[in-house]
Amino acid sequence: MQATVLSSYLPHSILTIGIAVSSALIIVKLFFLDRMSHQQLFIMTLIFFTTFIVSKISNVNSLFSNIILVLGCLEIPFKRIAKNYVVIVSIILGIAYLTTLVGLTKNYSVLTSDGVKYAMGGTYPTDFAAHIFYLLCAYIYSRAKKINILDLGVLVAGFLLVKYITKTQADTVAIFVLIMVVIIYCFQNRIMKSTFARKLYTTTVRWIFLLPLIFAVGICWLTWSFNYVDKTFIHLNSLFTNRLNIGNQAFVAYGIKLFGQPVIQYGWGGTRTSIFGSGLGSLTYFFIDSSYVSMLIVYGLFFTILVLFGLMYHLYKKLESNHILYVLIWIPILLVSVIDQHLLEIQYNIFMLGIFAYFTQNTESIFLSVPKISIKELRRL
């Protein structure tokens, strides 16, 4: 609800109290009700206090509440989380859009060279597009055992909505990649019949767990190294819609701290949409869109390393236990996070909750029986 026009109708104090109470209840559940090993307790405690320190230093209190939610999902089935997310977010987005249709709230729009972008009840077109992308990720995972052609139709409909209504390039590409990985997942037995395709597929799957580090190092290096002398950087900056330039300014102005720092940012969402494209808007806009760059500058080196290696270990273990669809869905999520800021925002990316959630038996496709691929098998190829 925070990224929709509905949030403007709720007093900030109510949202703050609600988050504080829910966080307190989760902490009680986590340390007094949940059963965990000594290793889990150590990891939980390390993450808890690190996040608390970083959120206070950076003055981003939402980080602490988000990570508390991640920790609080211990022993909760992720499949249930995904299903509930699909229902709740669909209802919220539907209500938000309906309120714009009847005139209760404003449907923010932005005029660009590509045409008019509509927020559809969101605070900004990119926010709505991101909601659609993550909603589709959760939807397709919740349908894992029953995926059919209609589900692929839902993905295509979401792709067209984001491409032609919000005109958001990043999430358009992310949804396209999501469609591709779902098709690959559904037909992987057929892929396995070809020796060359089998080796290519299994080798690729084997190294998916390295993607968080690859994407993070890649975009941080490009942003740090950006300059207007090299034509390659100029073209890349244009492709990334000036994100390299703004990120480089952030590196120069703030540098990298061990436990983060407060960074003042100004976006174009909500009421600021009206100054988009104006001289005032161009002068005051300063927002670090990349999740990886933002995490490094705002939350610090220690927290960034903790998150990246935690994600890598998590994906490795899920590959080991053959949760292939879950891992494949992480590919577009990690990719879009290169230029999108929602990686650690639970109201968007509920797959972060899967890090400590409980996973039941492996999912299977309705098209074909999904092969069991273990890390040991992959190593022998």
Side-chain angles (χ1 to χ4, degrees):
M1 184 178 292
Q2 288 179 315
T4 68
V5 291
L6 299 178
S7 60
S8 61
Y9 287 84
L10 283 176
H12 181 72
S13 58
I14 292 180
L15 291 174
T16 302
I17 292 172
I19 292 173
V21 172
S22 59
S23 297
L25 291 175
I26 291 173
I27 292 172
V28 170
K29 167 191 175 294
L30 188 62
F31 290 103
F32 297 99
L33 300 179
D34 287 339
R35 295 169 296 178
M36 63 181 80
S37 63
H38 293 297
Q39 181 183 13
Q40 286 178 318
L41 180 60
F42 172 77
I43 294 173
M44 292 277 190
T45 304
L46 174 64
I47 295 173
F48 179 87
F49 284 107
T50 299
T51 305
F52 179 78
I53 293 170
V54 169
S55 64
K56 291 303 178 184
I57 294 176
S58 64
N59 199 29
V60 182
N61 294 325
S62 60
L63 173 68
F64 184 68
S65 58
N66 281 334
I67 299 302
I68 287 298
L69 282 173
V70 174
L71 299 177
C73 285
L74 185 69
E75 298 186 344
I76 298 178
F78 183 70
K79 196 70 172 289
R80 186 195 307 168
I81 295 172
K83 289 180 177 179
N84 290 338
Y85 175 87
V86 171
V87 173
I88 294 171
V89 173
S90 296
I91 292 173
I92 291 175
L93 292 181
I95 293 175
Y97 179 57
L98 286 175
T99 60
T100 64
L101 290 179
V102 299
L104 291 176
T105 58
K106 185 176 180 180
N107 185 6
Y108 293 112
S109 60
V110 176
L111 179 61
T112 68
S113 58
D114 297 327
V116 181
K117 300 180 178 182
Y118 294 99
M120 305 288 286
T123 54
Y124 194 69
T126 54
D127 291 331
F128 178 78
H131 270 306
I132 296 299
F133 165 63
Y134 285 106
L135 183 62
L136 291 174
C137 289
Y139 170 77
I140 208 67
Y141 181 79
S142 67
R143 293 280 300 167
K145 292 184 179 180
K146 303 176 182 178
I147 295 176
N148 55 42
I149 195 65
L150 293 178
D151 297 313
L152 291 177
V154 171
L155 295 182
V156 172
F159 172 83
L160 295 175
L161 174 65
V162 169
K163 179 176 176 59
Y164 293 106
I165 302 300
T166 70
K167 294 180 173 63
T168 305
Q169 295 179 0
D171 291 293
T172 299
V173 173
I175 295 174
F176 177 78
V177 174
L178 176 64
I179 294 172
M180 292 300 101
V181 298
V182 169
I183 291 174
I184 291 172
Y185 167 77
C186 292
F187 291 99
Q188 58 184 312
N189 269 2
R190 189 169 298 179
I191 293 173
M192 290 298 177
K193 293 179 181 179
S194 167
T195 303
F196 173 77
R198 181 174 185 266
K199 284 195 173 184
L200 179 63
Y201 174 74
T202 51
T203 302
T204 303
V205 170
R206 174 185 178 182
W207 299 108
I208 286 177
F209 74 95
L210 291 176
L211 286 181
L213 184 62
I214 293 172
F215 285 145
V217 171
I219 190 60
C220 287
W221 178 82
L222 286 174
T223 304
W224 177 275
S225 305
F226 171 77
N227 62 79
Y228 275 110
V229 177
D230 193 315
K231 290 184 178 180
T232 302
F233 277 119
I234 295 174
H235 289 308
L236 285 173
N237 185 53
S238 177
L239 179 64
F240 291 154
T241 58
N242 204 39
R243 285 174 169 86
L244 294 183
N245 175 39
I246 295 177
N248 182 263
Q249 292 178 29
F251 272 126
V252 172
Y254 292 96
I256 302 172
K257 304 294 191 299
L258 186 61
F259 290 103
Q261 60 195 311
V263 176
I264 301 174
Q265 301 185 66
Y266 296 99
W268 273 319
T271 56
R272 285 180 56 84
T273 304
S274 60
I275 64 172
F276 176 87
S278 67
L280 179 62
S282 300
L283 288 172
T284 60
Y285 181 83
F286 179 79
F287 196 87
I288 308 171
D289 286 292
S290 171
S291 292
Y292 305 114
V293 175
S294 177
M295 183 163 49
L296 181 59
I297 295 175
V298 180
Y299 302 143
L301 182 62
F302 185 80
F303 183 83
T304 301
I305 292 174
L306 191 64
V307 170
L308 292 179
F309 280 88
L311 273 175
M312 289 166 60
Y313 177 77
H314 172 66
L315 294 177
Y316 179 85
K317 297 303 288 185
K318 287 296 169 280
L319 279 172
E320 228 178 19
S321 56
N322 199 37
H323 291 283
I324 302 300
L325 178 60
Y326 174 81
V327 174
L328 289 176
I329 291 175
W330 267 101
I331 295 176
I333 292 175
L334 294 169
L335 175 63
V336 77
S337 297
V338 169
I339 55 177
D340 199 316
Q341 75 271 22
H342 301 303
L343 178 64
L344 299 180
E345 297 176 0
I346 305 305
Q347 63 267 39
Y348 291 93
N349 182 20
I350 57 108
F351 281 78
M352 284 294 295
L353 301 180
I355 294 177
F356 288 100
Y358 171 72
F359 283 78
T360 54
Q361 61 184 352
N362 300 332
T363 56
E364 290 185 316
S365 167
I366 196 172
F367 293 151
L368 311 159
S369 60
V370 177
K372 182 173 177 60
I373 305 173
S374 68
I375 294 295
K376 293 181 180 179
E377 282 184 312
L378 294 172
R379 285 173 177 165
R380 288 199 293 267
L381 297 175

